[in-house]
Amino acid sequence: MYKFLLPLILSAALFVANPVLAQGKAPIVINFSHVVAENTPKGQGAVLFKQMVETRLAGQVKVVVHANASLFGDADELEALRDNRVQMLAPSLSKFSAYSKQLQLFDLPFLFDDLEALKRFQKRDKSRELLRAMTEQNIYGLAFWNNGMKQLSATRELRLPTDAKGLAFRIQPSKVLDAQFKALDATGVSLPFSETLTALQSGKVQGSENAWSNIASQRLDAVQPFITESNHGTLNYMLVSNTRFWNSIPYKTRVELEAIIEEVTVVVNQQAEALNQKAREQVLAAGKTKLVSLTEQERAAWRSAMQPVWKTYEAEVGADMLHAAQTVNRR
Ligand code: LMR
């Protein structure tokens, strides 16, 4: 008898202890969609966010993670967010240029020396301002998440900028990235992340740029015989929600969600470097691609070839923003 009653007693206790369940309210559902694999900094961040929310806001908030562009892809995810068809995304900053010209800053080549410099910038007020840049457009910035430094992959060895001449590179939808490849007498072809591997396989493009974690998880190394460790740019994200949806969450719950996001962000940004390091080792161990390491002089040549792009975009990103970003390097 007791055996049958116990589950009933337990669920009644849970019901009373949890005010949301006691009022019979359905939990708030956050669909979190992203385009990368689970074993990447963003993929891991999404899983950790779900776990923490479901522990600390059990019964009140439910998080459903849709990885690998399984719900929305690069081309439609931001519009879906603005229409509240999905409630959370973490697109690369390169994907926001239709909504904020200032965010183009993060695409400028050789702007940050390393991830540490980027992290220093993300703590500055100037950078925090950018989280609110798209609020009116129903895109509410919650945090910056990092992946890693970008590397160049290609069908031929890229040691000097002139080696890239004539090649087509897959890029994210960004005018700055397009200009960056034009500066090399190459072409940028804007394609969704999910189409990158097939575009490289079919020869539609001959090169790409990405962080090690994305190269490894998509096995881009299997179709690109050379990877130049250029560290020429950063791949980083803004964790965003729909402004109206976010503000509609009851205050106490929202405060707790924001506290969780802060904790998850620390973990994501701490682990990003290690995850990229591991991905780099995996790629090298697979032996499909040749690593091209640059001397200081060679890297300087890439810098001088790409850096003129800054001048072109200075007015759009704001001279003050560009200046603030430069002060975080320790050169
Ligand atoms: C890309 O399109 O290459 C990246 O933005 C993918 C991602 O989200 O890391």
Side-chain angles (χ1 to χ4, degrees):
M1 177 69 177
Y2 182 68
K3 208 167 79 189
F4 296 112
L5 278 180
L6 187 63
L8 281 180
I9 295 167
L10 283 179
S11 52
L14 178 72
F15 200 72
V16 172
N18 188 322
V20 174
L21 290 183
Q23 285 164 26
K25 275 199 201 152
I28 296 163
V29 178
I30 297 179
N31 283 289
F32 185 160
S33 167
H34 67 80
V35 300
V36 292
E38 211 166 74
N39 59 348
T40 58
K42 179 162 53 181
Q44 297 277 289
V47 170
L48 182 62
F49 174 68
K50 175 184 168 68
Q51 284 165 352
M52 286 177 66
V53 168
E54 292 186 359
T55 309
R56 299 206 338 221
L57 291 167
Q60 298 177 57
V61 182
K62 185 173 153 51
V63 178
V64 187
V65 178
H66 308 268
N68 281 313
S70 55
L71 186 62
F72 294 106
D74 289 325
D76 52 2
E77 63 177 13
L78 274 161
E79 280 312 296
L81 180 90
R82 296 177 71 210
D83 295 345
N84 201 26
R85 282 177 283 133
V86 60
Q87 291 71 39
M88 213 177 246
L89 306 172
S92 142
L93 296 179
S94 317
K95 294 175 185 165
F96 288 105
S97 51
Y99 308 98
S100 160
K101 295 275 174 250
Q102 276 182 311
L103 283 173
Q104 297 180 117
L105 172 84
F106 293 89
D107 280 341
L108 295 176
F110 291 97
L111 183 61
F112 299 107
D113 281 352
D114 47 33
L115 274 196
E116 291 310 310
L118 172 69
K119 283 193 218 167
R120 282 195 289 278
F121 181 60
Q122 288 168 340
K123 289 192 190 121
R124 299 265 173 99
D125 287 347
K126 261 285 164 259
S127 179
R128 311 290 308 165
E129 256 175 45
L130 295 173
L131 293 174
R132 293 290 160 273
M134 301 171 288
T135 308
E136 298 296 309
Q137 295 168 81
N138 223 2
I139 302 175
Y140 190 78
L142 293 159
F144 289 109
W145 283 6
N146 297 331
N147 191 328
M149 301 302 285
K150 288 188 289 186
Q151 319 302 342
L152 290 167
S153 69
T155 47
R156 68 163 97 116
E157 182 162 347
L158 305 178
R159 192 160 280 287
L160 287 170
T162 43
D163 298 330
K165 188 174 175 175
L167 295 183
F169 288 82
R170 177 269 164 175
I171 55 168
Q172 304 180 71
S174 151
K175 283 203 225 146
V176 177
L177 298 179
D178 189 49
Q180 170 192 283
F181 284 107
K182 278 211 177 88
L184 305 174
D185 289 324
T187 320
V189 179
S190 168
L191 289 171
F193 181 63
S194 55
E195 289 172 28
T196 305
L197 178 64
T198 44
L200 288 168
Q201 251 162 355
S202 70
K204 178 172 179 177
V205 291
Q206 298 83 45
S208 73
E209 54 160 21
N210 227 311
W212 284 111
S213 61
N214 281 344
I215 296 173
S217 60
Q218 298 295 310
R219 294 304 322 267
L220 302 184
D221 55 303
V223 292
Q224 293 275 265
F226 299 95
I227 298 181
T228 300
E229 197 155 34
S230 50
N231 291 317
H232 65 280
T234 55
L235 177 63
N236 48 332
Y237 309 111
M238 193 187 284
L239 182 69
V240 289
S241 187
N242 172 301
T243 310
R244 283 197 284 273
F245 165 77
W246 199 255
N247 290 330
S248 75
I249 299 173
Y251 181 72
K252 271 176 99 171
T253 312
R254 199 169 1 123
V255 167
E256 183 62 2
L257 279 170
E258 287 171 5
I260 292 172
I261 288 170
E262 236 181 275
E263 290 172 43
V264 174
T265 300
V266 171
V267 177
V268 169
N269 292 346
Q270 252 166 15
Q271 289 181 351
E273 194 117 35
L275 275 175
N276 276 295
Q277 203 50 38
K278 198 169 144 204
R280 178 186 187 273
E281 280 158 24
Q282 267 168 13
V283 167
L284 299 188
K288 294 274 182 210
T289 192
K290 181 181 169 213
L291 182 73
V292 184
S293 303
L294 301 176
T295 64
E296 248 175 64
Q297 253 180 345
E298 286 164 347
R299 192 160 179 269
W302 286 93
R303 178 194 292 271
S304 8
M306 289 177 166
Q307 217 168 17
V309 169
W310 291 19
K311 259 269 129 316
T312 318
Y313 284 90
E314 183 172 336
E316 286 189 13
V317 304
D320 55 334
M321 203 49 97
L322 184 55
H323 176 73
Q326 280 173 270
T327 60
V328 294
N329 287 322
R330 291 200 172 132
R331 247 178 275 142

